[in-house]
């Protein structure tokens, strides 16, 4: 099994995906252990002095003015975890929890937090044992870190609260730790605070969304090409020289992908036949511009994610010169903004895809296709309600595109008076990505049926590869009405697991 080695300089996006989704093992590098040890020595030296140091010998947040004596400091660290583990609502997905645990471990191993090596090793042991703390939907404002979610994870390290075992059964954390031979940790100065003061949950969800959107945007280029083909549109608008004079890289990539899919098509270029068109509708002609803008938004989000992966987010932080300084690096604004940007781009991509689907189903705009792609229109309703479903998904995505990061709500007796709401932005983006997958699947379902209904015209080889693969996957083609939900579910799975993209790329080679 793949092993991710956590050092002092962070981890990669692929490392996070490997641990979160593929169950990769985690190890601490010797460099990380040395950095942990050195930083801890600084914290221990400060803890022995009479001067108050935030997070080491004081209370937290609005209670930071109280100096805490040595006899109460272990209790202080234990109490911050217990009191901050105040989440409510449904359980958060296992992959999200594993991602945020690894990312917190990444910051701990930077040597800027003052956490002891044995605490970091316990974090790795919990991940390797497949133990997943129960984290709840609500509790993070995306500032001072994802406090409640990370606190529930820290609670598991202490052997308290509930966690999910590798078998998926939720049990008391103490039982799961004991079953895997893991000793609960007793937190010392600063350690409780360091375990819960990071933007790790929202960053983990950003990284997974970026991976999913990379596949989805390529898949959306494919379905846009299929719709153009089914509508007898022109591929001349995809010519590289047209996109070179508006040099957005995402736009050029989307146009190139569509052109590659349409290569060899016998359906394109018929826009001057029986029902002449000077131009195709915007939803067809402007597909690269819309998808391309989304691609460029993804590129910006990747830049932010890479910077965050190289960051040590904690407050206070231990500096190499021995200082322990307070800061505001836990504020989630950089991550929150791009999470919201991505939700906006996803909603617009879904919106233009739905418009193409509707055009395929409307006999007045489909250039010769039967109403709703029905077998016997009137007796059969065809894909009428499949488009309703797609429209409902798009409508929800528009609501989810309202930015969470534009909101803020004061907390901690006005000490924490401006927050990012980045966790909320991440949670709604996950739903948006899920919905976008379904929207793309419905367009694919309609476009493949429409292409098959163009009798006497030969589709592009890449289009035929998609039709063959999706039919082999059990998704039926044109014909009388049938129970449609299973077909749509199978189409969704076909897009979601990458089979749509794989089918195309057997002909085109890797898409951009």
């Amino acid at each position: 099994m793949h092993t991710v080695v956590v050092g002092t300089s962070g981890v990669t996006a692929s490392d996070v995906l490997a641990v979160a989704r593929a169950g990769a093992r985690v190890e601490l590098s010797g460099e990380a252990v040395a950095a942990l040890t050195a930083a801890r020595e600084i914290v221990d030296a400060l803890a022995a002095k009479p001067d108050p140091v935030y997070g080491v010998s004081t209370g937290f947040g609005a209670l930071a003015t109280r100096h805490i004596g040595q006899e109460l400091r272990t209790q202080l660290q234990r109490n911050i975890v217990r009191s901050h583990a105040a989440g409510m609502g449904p359980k958060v997905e296992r992959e999200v929890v594993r991602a945020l645990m690894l990312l917190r471990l990444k910051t701990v191993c930077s040597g800027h937090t003052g956490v002891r090596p044995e605490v970091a090793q316990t974090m790795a042991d919990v991940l390797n044992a497949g133990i997943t703390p129960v984290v709840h939907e609500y509790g993070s404002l995306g500032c001072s870190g994802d406090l409640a979610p990370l606190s529930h994870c820290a609670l598991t390290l202490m052997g308290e609260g509930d966690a999910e075992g590798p078998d998926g059964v939720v049990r008391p954390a103490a039982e799961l730790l004991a079953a895997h031979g893991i000793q609960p940790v007793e937190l010392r100065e600063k350690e409780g605070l360091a375990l819960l003061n990071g933007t790790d949950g929202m960053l983990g969800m950003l990284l997974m969304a970026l991976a999913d959107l990379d596949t989805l945007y390529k898949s959306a280029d494919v379905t846009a090409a299929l719709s153009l083909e089914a509508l007898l549109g022109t591929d001349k608008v995809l010519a590289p020289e047209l996109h070179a004079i508006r040099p957005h890289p995402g736009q050029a990539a989307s146009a190139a992908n569509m052109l590659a899919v349409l290569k060899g098509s016998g359906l394109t270029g018929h826009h001057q036949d029986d029902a002449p068109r000077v131009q195709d509708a915007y939803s067809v002609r402007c597909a690269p511009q819309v998808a391309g803008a989304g691609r460029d938004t993804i590129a910006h989000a990747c830049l932010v994610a890479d910077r965050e992966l190289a960051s040590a987010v904690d407050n206070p932080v231990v500096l190499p010169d021995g200082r322990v300084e307070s800061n505001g690096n836990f504020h989630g604004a950089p991550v929150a903004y791009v999470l919201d940007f991505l939700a906006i781009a996803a909603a617009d991509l879904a919106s233009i895809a739905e418009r193409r689907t509707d055009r395929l189903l409307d006999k007045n705009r489909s250039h010769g296709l039967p109403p709703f792609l029905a077998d016997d229109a009137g007796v059969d309703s065809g894909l009428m309600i499949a488009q309703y479903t797609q429209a409902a998904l798009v409508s929800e995505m528009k609501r989810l595109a309202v930015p969470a990061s534009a909101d803020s709500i004061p907390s901690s007796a006005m000490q924490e008076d401006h927050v990012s709401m980045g966790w909320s932005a991440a949670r709604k983006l996950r739903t948006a990505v899920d919905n976008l997958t379904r929207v793309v699947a419905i367009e694919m379902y309609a476009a493949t049926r429409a292409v098959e209904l163009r009798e006497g015209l030969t589709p592009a080889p890449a289009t035929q590869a998609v039709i063959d693969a999706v039919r082999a996957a059990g998704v039926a083609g044109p014909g009388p009405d049938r129970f449609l939900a299973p077909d749509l579910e199978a189409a969704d799975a076909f897009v979601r697991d990458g089979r749509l993209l794989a089918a195309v790329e057997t002909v085109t080679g890797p898409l951009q």
Side-chain angles (χ1 to χ4, degrees), residues 1-2 4 11 15-26 92-106 123-135 149-150 153 164-166 200-201 204-205 207-208 423 430:
M1 181 182 290
H2 177 59
V4 171
V11 294
D15 289 337
V16 176
L17 293 171
V19 172
R21 290 181 163 173
R25 291 185 58 78
V26 177
V92 169
E93 303 86 359
R94 182 176 185 269
E95 67 177 14
V96 172
V97 179
R98 286 182 62 82
L100 75 89
M101 288 175 70
L102 175 68
L103 288 166
R104 194 72 219 136
L105 177 60
K106 176 267 297 182
M123 296 170 75
D125 292 342
V126 168
L127 280 166
N128 291 339
I131 297 171
T132 307
V134 172
V135 171
L150 283 163
C153 293
E164 185 181 292
D200 308 293
M205 286 186 274
L207 292 168
M208 288 184 281
W423 174 273
R430 283 181 70 83

Side-chain angles (χ1 to χ4, degrees), residues 1-53:
M1 181 182 290
H2 177 59
T3 298
V4 171
V5 179
V6 183
T8 58
S9 57
V11 294
T12 66
S14 59
D15 289 337
V16 176
L17 293 171
V19 172
R21 290 181 163 173
R25 291 185 58 78
V26 177
E27 290 181 4
L28 310 186
S29 72
E31 175 194 36
V33 173
L36 286 160
T37 302
R40 186 64 208 180
E41 289 173 356
I42 294 171
V43 171
D44 285 341
L46 289 170
K49 294 180 179 180
D51 303 324
V53 177

Side-chain angles (χ1 to χ4, degrees), residues 97-121:
V97 179
R98 286 182 62 82
L100 75 89
M101 288 175 70
L102 175 68
L103 288 166
R104 194 72 219 136
L105 177 60
K106 176 267 297 182
T107 284
V108 164
C109 288
S110 70
H112 290 295
T113 68
V115 168
R116 289 169 294 151
E118 50 264 46
V119 176
Q121 185 59 55

